[in-house]
Amino acid sequence: MTVRLRGHHLLCLLTFVGEGYTPSFTRNYVGIAKRLSAGESITVVDGPDDICAPMLCEAGAHCREDSITRRDSLALAAVADVLDRSIGSGSVLVLDADRLRRLRSAFAEGRAAAACAECEWAGLCRSVADGGFGNALVHAAEDPSLLREEL
C-alpha cells in the first residue's frame, strides 16, 4: 500500500500532533501517521489526497481552493530542495530517519515553511517545531526491513 499525499501535506506531517478540523479528519490522519511511521511509502498526488478524504463531502471544503494548490507548489519546491531531488505528482518516497530529520531541520530553521505562511495551523506547527517535534505523531520506521528504496 501507499499513502497518497498532496504537496503541502508533506510538510504538515512533520508537525502533526493529533489535532484537526473534525473528529473524523483527526482519526483518519492519526491512522495515516501510523502507516507512515511503519514505513509505508508516499505517492505524491495533485489535489485532494488521503488526508483530505474526510473533508471532501463537507460544504466549503478548502481542499480544492486555488490557495491550497499554491501551497502545494511551494511545499513541493521546498521538499525537493531539502531532499535534493525532483518531486512532483507521481513521485514515491519513504520517510526514513534521514529524510525526516532533514525535513524537520529545514522546517524548524524556516527553510521549508514558506508554504505555511497563510495556514491557520502555522502557529501550532511552529510551536511543535520549537519544541523539537517531541509530540509529533509521524516517526521514521524503526525496523530497517520496512524501509524500501524509492521506486
Side-chain angles (χ1 to χ4, degrees):
M1 293 282 301
T2 186
V3 176
R4 298 169 51 256
L5 293 183
R6 67 187 310 155
H8 79 271
H9 285 157
L10 294 173
L11 297 179
C12 297
L13 66 83
L14 301 174
T15 60
F16 178 64
V17 292
E19 296 188 32
Y21 297 103
T22 66
S24 64
F25 176 89
T26 304
R27 274 190 308 277
N28 179 60
Y29 204 155
V30 167
I32 289 170
K34 288 178 183 177
R35 291 168 57 193
L36 293 173
S37 296
E40 196 162 326
S41 63
I42 295 168
T43 299
V44 177
V45 298
D46 289 329
D49 62 8
D50 293 341
I51 290 175
C52 297
M55 304 293 288
L56 294 176
C57 62
E58 295 186 14
H62 67 274
C63 303
R64 293 185 180 93
E65 292 177 3
D66 289 342
S67 63
I68 303 302
T69 302
R70 282 190 298 280
R71 188 175 296 159
D72 289 336
S73 295
L74 289 169
L76 286 175
V79 171
D81 185 55
V82 171
L83 298 182
D84 196 30
R85 62 168 280 199
S86 176
I87 297 181
S89 185
S91 295
V92 176
L93 63 125
V94 173
L95 288 176
D96 63 21
D98 179 62
R99 286 186 189 108
L100 197 55
R101 179 194 54 75
R102 288 168 50 199
L103 287 168
R104 284 191 168 138
S105 177
F107 186 89
E109 294 167 5
R111 294 184 293 122
C116 310
E118 296 179 21
C119 178
E120 67 186 275
W121 297 97
L124 172 65
C125 296
R126 172 59 25 216
S127 71
V128 172
D130 289 347
F133 302 95
N135 295 330
L137 297 183
V138 175
H139 305 281
E142 295 189 22
D143 180 350
S145 69
L146 293 173
L147 299 177
R148 297 174 303 280
E149 287 298 310
E150 298 168 15
L151 304 177

